């Protein structure tokens, strides 16, 4: 925080507390004039539905509660940050509290995760206790994109089938979770032209055994060989090394309708699987790997 803003905050806090204090004590007593009937408090002159408002001071208990809030505010600002750049006597910060809570959680739960860290994934999937823990990890960290059942949605891969962009072995899955993946399908519309985009789409439909225009598919085969085989292969079955999807299996990450396939060719696609290594320790990633691996095996 800059010096200017620190001074400004201090000034505003002091003015606010001092103003509230003055307001409380300035209105603590009401002077009763001679014009006021004996024993009757003065009136404000405000009338609501025939009811006149008396100019009475706050009840004692209410006044003391307000004074208590002022004292509490001063004490709070002395102990905790809130008075410009002053850190407070206790030196408390939200980051420090978070780090303490994380450390406490790690000390408590780390041994539970560690007991499974050296167990092969293939053995972990047969352990009910390990799978319960891994399911909770999945729900907390992965379900927001892949769904609570792991079946994904538009733009998010289905983890409960046998189709894998980067490979479905335990090691491949662990690598994906640990380091993340960055998928990119270049936009070919400006390079090919709209007619070629349409022809390539028809050829892709042919690769998948779908209904297609044979004339356009034949023309599209030549364009496909020029621009697409480097990633998807001559047979269109993809390449796990690059994360290029299989175009002949009927499984579509961004939808397989004719319009969506043409959109993918024309405009390209970009997918990002964030790396989890900076969020989760290796023991948790190992359990997550087992859970995802088990999903694919129990499709």
């Amino acid at each position: 925080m800059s010096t200017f803003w620190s001074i400004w905050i201090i000034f505003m806090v002091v003015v606010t507390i001092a103003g509230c204090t003055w307001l409380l004590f300035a209105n603590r007593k009401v002077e009763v004039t001679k014009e006021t009937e004996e024993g009757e408090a003065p009136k404000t002159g405000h009338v609501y539905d025939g009811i006149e408002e008396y100019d009475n001071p706050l009840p004692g208990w209410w006044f003391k509660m307000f004074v208590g809030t002022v004292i509490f505010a001063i004490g709070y600002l002395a102990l905790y940050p809130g008075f410009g750049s002053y850190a407070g006597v206790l030196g408390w910060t939200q980051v420090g509290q978070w780090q303490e809570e994380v450390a406490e959680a790690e000390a408590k739960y780390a041994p539970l995760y560690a007991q499974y860290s050296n167990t092969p994934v293939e053995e972990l999937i047969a352990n009910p206790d390990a799978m319960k823990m891994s399911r909770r990890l999945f729900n907390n960290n992965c379900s927001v994109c892949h769904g609570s059942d792991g079946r994904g949605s538009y733009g998010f891969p289905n983890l409960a089938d046998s189709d894998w962009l980067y490979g479905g072995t335990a090691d491949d899955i662990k690598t994906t979770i640990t380091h993340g993946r960055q998928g990119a399908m270049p936009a070919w519309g400006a390079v090919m032209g709209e007619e070629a985009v349409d022809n390539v789409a028809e050829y892709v439909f042919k690769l998948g055994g779908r209904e297609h225009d044979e004339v356009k598919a034949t023309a599209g085969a030549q364009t496909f060989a020029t621009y697409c085989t480097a990633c998807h292969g001559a047979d269109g079955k993809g390449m796990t090394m690059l994360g290029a999807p299989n175009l002949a299996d009927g499984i579509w990450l961004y939808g397989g309708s004719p319009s969506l396939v043409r959109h993918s060719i024309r405009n390209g696609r970009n997918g990002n699987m964030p790396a989890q290594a900076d969020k989760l320790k290796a023991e948790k990633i190992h359990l997550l790997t087992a859970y995802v691996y088990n999903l694919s095996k129990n499709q």
Side-chain angles (χ1 to χ4, degrees), residues 13 42 69 140 146 184 186 188 207 211 232 238 293 299:
V13 170
T69 62
N140 290 336
H146 296 284
W188 293 108
L207 287 175
E211 183 179 346
H232 295 285
Y293 184 78
Q299 53 182 301

Side-chain angles (χ1 to χ4, degrees), residues 217-293:
T218 300
Q222 300 176 7
T223 307
F224 185 92
T226 302
Y227 296 106
C228 311
T229 56
C231 294
H232 295 285
D235 56 1
K237 292 187 177 181
M239 189 180 302
T240 56
M241 182 181 298
L242 299 176
N246 184 345
L247 305 177
D249 61 0
I251 298 175
W252 298 91
L253 183 58
Y254 295 97
S257 69
S259 61
L260 287 175
V261 172
R262 292 187 181 95
H263 180 88
S264 294
I265 298 171
R266 183 188 306 110
N267 302 301
R269 300 288 187 179
N270 283 285
N272 177 52
M273 159 66 188
Q276 301 299 311
D278 58 342
K279 295 172 54 181
L280 303 174
K281 291 186 177 296
E283 294 85 354
K284 293 183 179 181
I285 290 177
H286 187 65
L287 275 172
L288 266 178
T289 299
Y291 183 78
V292 175
Y293 184 78

Side-chain angles (χ1 to χ4, degrees), residues 40-113:
E40 184 178 355
K43 300 174 182 177
T44 63
H46 301 155
V47 180
Y48 306 93
D49 295 331
I51 301 174
E52 294 182 275
E53 180 182 358
Y54 286 97
D55 192 10
N56 285 320
L58 287 173
W61 65 271
W62 201 348
F63 170 78
K64 292 175 182 177
M65 285 183 64
F66 277 120
V67 172
T69 62
V70 172
I71 296 173
F72 174 83
I74 295 173
Y76 181 91
L77 291 172
L79 297 174
Y80 296 97
F83 203 56
S85 298
Y86 174 64
V89 173
L90 299 180
W92 178 91
T93 65
Q94 58 184 358
V95 174
Q97 180 175 334
W98 175 79
Q99 290 175 337
E100 289 178 6
E101 292 175 355
V102 169
E104 290 177 5
E106 287 295 332
K108 181 177 181 179
Y109 297 110
L112 298 178
Y113 294 108

Side-chain angles (χ1 to χ4, degrees), residues 1-7 9 84-85:
M1 182 184 298
S2 67
T3 302
F4 170 79
W5 287 113
S6 178
I7 294 174
I9 292 172
S85 298

